[in-house]
Amino acid sequence: MLEKKNLELLRARLDTPCKIVITTHHKPDGDAMGSTLGLYHFLKSFGHDVVVITPTDYPSFLHWLPGNDLVVDFEKLPTVSIKHVNEADFIFCLDFNALSRINELGEHVAQAKGLKIKIDHHLLPDGFEDINYSNIKASSTCELIYDFILELGSSDHITPDVANCLYVGIMTDTGSFKFDCTTPHTHEVVANLIRKGANSYQIYDQLFNQHQFRRLQFVGFCLSNRFHYLPEYNTAYIAITAQDLKDFGISTGDTEGLESYPLTVKGIRLGALIIDRTKLVKLSLRSKGDIAVNEICRDYFNGGGHKNASGGSSTKTLDETVQDFLAILPKIKHLLNS
Ligand code: 5GP
Ligand code: MN
């Protein structure tokens, strides 16, 4: 909930057209892009001058989102991005809670004069913002944007574009409404988004049914040749080399979804997807129940996220990173087997 004074301040200042920047974490996912573009269309409907800036590019399966062509990529246009950040009256920071998550853009956001509003659902915030609108129990940042719009009393500004964008992030962050974070409120929100014009069938089709055939062959290859099953630790992981990515012509978004396979095996409580991205080895950890992968990512892999879904990275080789991951298992065996 927004504090009364913040609600009044936002209502008053958003009443007259102003300059707004919306940003989100690097390598944005469905929730990051759905929330930024959903808020973009919402704020544009009041006549504000709004710019979405991403710290990096993002996967092509999100490029159909309305407003995609207007997104400014900081890596491609740093000068333009910095100018917008410096001139903004408001900077909305969505789906992240530490400025390190937006790379060098973070230094500029930290120094900017604009009022910083954070809307997020991750654990362990670092408190860089002026106004905080966070809830770690929310399924997604998109769900929070919907709540935020309702608190502002502006549900009549939820256009079909806003509704479609917000639906995307709720769908992707809940694993199409499968994960534990899916609440009755989540379903109420998506029901209202459909009433406002979100097309759930088309969104699903755009997100999940647009793969290249080689991507499916790659999934088959990984499941047959890169999948490791450790029943004594109720753990399974997939480790992918840089050469594998090259051999199959795989780009960032093509590996999305592979992280959920380990947990589909009966009895598995901890799953990992470990990918050699050349400059860094990236880890995606998933768990069931009380195994807090955000703590594992924070303690061992310079990362974080949610209790059952987190990410991190390592500057070591793929083999060394896998060994580091395996070395953690005996330490948490009691949790894995309980
Ligand atoms: P994924 O495994 O899909 O990359 O990320 C899962 C969750 O962990 C997401 O909520 C994401 O924001 C978070 N996450 C992923 N990588 C990092 C990281 O390097 N640092 C932090 N703090 N969070 C991460
Ligand atoms: Mn999210």
Side-chain angles (χ1 to χ4, degrees):
M1 281 260 294
L2 276 168
E3 280 176 49
K4 197 162 177 278
K5 71 170 186 343
N6 287 335
L7 182 63
E8 280 165 7
L9 182 147
L10 282 173
R11 274 199 187 132
R13 288 193 52 189
L14 288 170
D15 212 32
T16 40
C18 55
K19 290 190 175 180
I20 300 175
V21 161
I22 309 173
T23 191
T24 188
H25 59 80
H26 71 104
K27 292 290 172 193
D29 57 6
D31 191 31
M33 290 320 299
S35 59
T36 52
L37 288 170
L39 185 64
Y40 169 86
H41 292 294
F42 171 75
L43 293 170
K44 280 297 272 186
S45 74
F46 292 88
H48 299 302
D49 175 358
V50 193
V51 184
V52 172
I53 304 174
T54 55
T56 64
D57 61 355
Y58 51 93
S60 58
F61 73 85
L62 296 170
H63 289 181
W64 61 275
L65 280 165
N68 172 73
D69 295 345
L70 302 166
V71 173
V72 178
D73 177 346
F74 172 70
E75 281 184 339
K76 294 200 182 93
L77 295 170
T79 316
V80 175
S81 303
I82 293 164
K83 187 169 183 287
H84 284 303
V85 167
N86 287 339
E87 288 176 359
D89 301 304
F90 289 93
I91 302 177
F92 282 89
C93 298
L94 309 187
D95 202 39
F96 69 93
N97 61 14
L99 287 178
S100 58
R101 295 277 290 145
I102 61 171
N103 304 349
E104 289 92 83
L105 187 59
E107 296 159 26
H108 303 284
V109 169
Q111 286 163 16
K113 64 172 179 12
L115 195 79
K116 288 155 210 140
I117 303 154
K118 182 182 79 189
I119 305 181
D120 180 55
H121 66 136
H122 291 93
L123 295 157
L124 308 171
D126 79 359
F128 63 86
E129 72 281 353
D130 300 304
I131 294 179
N132 182 22
Y133 191 81
S134 294
N135 180 358
I136 59 164
K137 295 210 173 96
S139 71
S140 52
T141 299
C142 281
E143 186 178 310
L144 287 171
I145 298 284
Y146 177 89
D147 295 338
F148 180 76
I149 290 174
L150 259 63
E151 281 198 42
L152 290 177
S154 303
S155 63
D156 52 332
H157 284 256
I158 301 179
T159 60
D161 278 350
V162 175
N164 276 310
C165 289
L166 298 185
Y167 192 100
V168 164
I170 301 176
M171 181 174 245
T172 53
D173 260 25
T174 60
S176 303
F177 313 103
K178 289 191 302 282
F179 300 154
D180 213 20
C181 59
T182 314
T183 63
H185 181 62
T186 311
H187 284 286
E188 281 156 11
V189 171
V190 291
N192 283 329
L193 292 176
I194 293 170
R195 285 189 191 102
K196 295 280 189 186
N199 188 327
S200 56
Y201 170 73
Q202 259 180 24
I203 292 171
Y204 184 88
D205 198 48
Q206 288 289 354
L207 291 174
F208 301 110
N209 296 337
Q210 307 293 331
H211 296 302
Q212 301 292 326
F213 180 56
R214 64 167 165 68
R215 191 263 179 189
L216 210 61
Q217 291 178 306
F218 176 68
V219 172
F221 167 81
C222 292
L223 296 180
S224 300
N225 302 293
R226 298 291 183 254
F227 196 97
H228 304 265
Y229 175 52
L230 308 168
E232 69 276 30
Y233 292 115
N234 291 326
T235 295
Y237 70 95
I238 298 173
I240 299 171
T241 68
Q243 190 62 43
D244 295 337
L245 299 177
K246 228 177 179 178
D247 289 347
F248 284 85
I250 291 301
S251 46
T252 325
D254 292 334
T255 57
E256 198 98 6
L258 271 174
E259 69 286 345
S260 12
Y261 280 99
L263 286 193
T264 64
V265 179
K266 188 169 184 198
I268 292 300
R269 305 198 55 215
L270 173 63
L273 173 67
I274 309 175
I275 304 179
D276 187 348
R277 297 246 180 237
T278 312
K279 280 186 201 145
L280 278 178
V281 174
K282 180 83 182 102
L283 298 98
S284 286
L285 266 53
R286 300 290 185 269
S287 67
K288 288 184 185 167
D290 268 343
I291 301 154
V293 286
N294 61 309
E295 288 172 16
I296 298 177
C297 284
R298 184 194 62 202
D299 294 347
Y300 298 95
F301 301 115
N302 191 31
H306 311 283
K307 187 176 167 198
N308 298 124
S310 286
S313 59
S314 171
T315 51
K316 297 186 185 173
T317 66
L318 178 66
D319 284 346
E320 287 166 345
T321 309
V322 168
Q323 291 312 316
D324 285 348
F325 173 69
L326 295 177
I328 299 164
L329 304 181
K331 295 180 200 164
I332 57 167
K333 194 169 183 197
H334 58 288
L335 287 173
L336 296 168
N337 291 321
S338 67

